[in-house]
Amino acid sequence: MTCNVLIVDDPRVIRTAIRKVVRLAGIEDDRIHEASNGREALDVLEMVWIDLVLLDLNMPVMDGEQFARELRKNPDLADVAVVVVSTESNVDRLQRMRDLGVVESLRKPFEPEDLCRLIPKVLGVKR
């Protein structure tokens, strides 16, 4: 699958685990990018075209909700697909994320197969 994915999560070990699953979904390793918070993610988006953001909500510096707000302000990035991958269970917060255009959410811990199925679905790729 030819697309660029950005994993945004503060613990490196979580990013590494998600990267492995994204590779299992058919994304080449050189097309997977990482950021440890929303501010770093915005910096990555200035340098690399990203098709899909896998976003944690609870991070230092800039959390996922702040990141999504900033992302949607930029007309060049407003259509980037965002999937929340988080332990977050607050219904109001998840609704705010949907209001910001988040297309799906996946609760941690998740089964690798669930993320593998979700990626092509969100990107509109038939497998």
Side-chain angles (χ1 to χ4, degrees), residues 1-5 19 22-33:
M1 192 178 329
T2 305
C3 66
N4 290 317
V5 175
R19 176 182 279 270
V22 171
R23 283 197 317 253
L24 287 173
I27 309 294
E28 296 172 24
D29 197 55
D30 64 339
R31 294 186 167 274
I32 304 170
H33 307 273

Side-chain angles (χ1 to χ4, degrees), residues 20-51:
K20 288 179 183 178
V21 176
V22 171
R23 283 197 317 253
L24 287 173
I27 309 294
E28 296 172 24
D29 197 55
D30 64 339
R31 294 186 167 274
I32 304 170
H33 307 273
E34 297 182 17
S36 63
N37 61 63
R39 171 62 19 225
E40 285 182 15
L42 291 172
D43 292 343
V44 170
L45 285 161
E46 287 181 13
M47 297 181 293
V48 180
W49 177 260
I50 297 293
D51 301 288

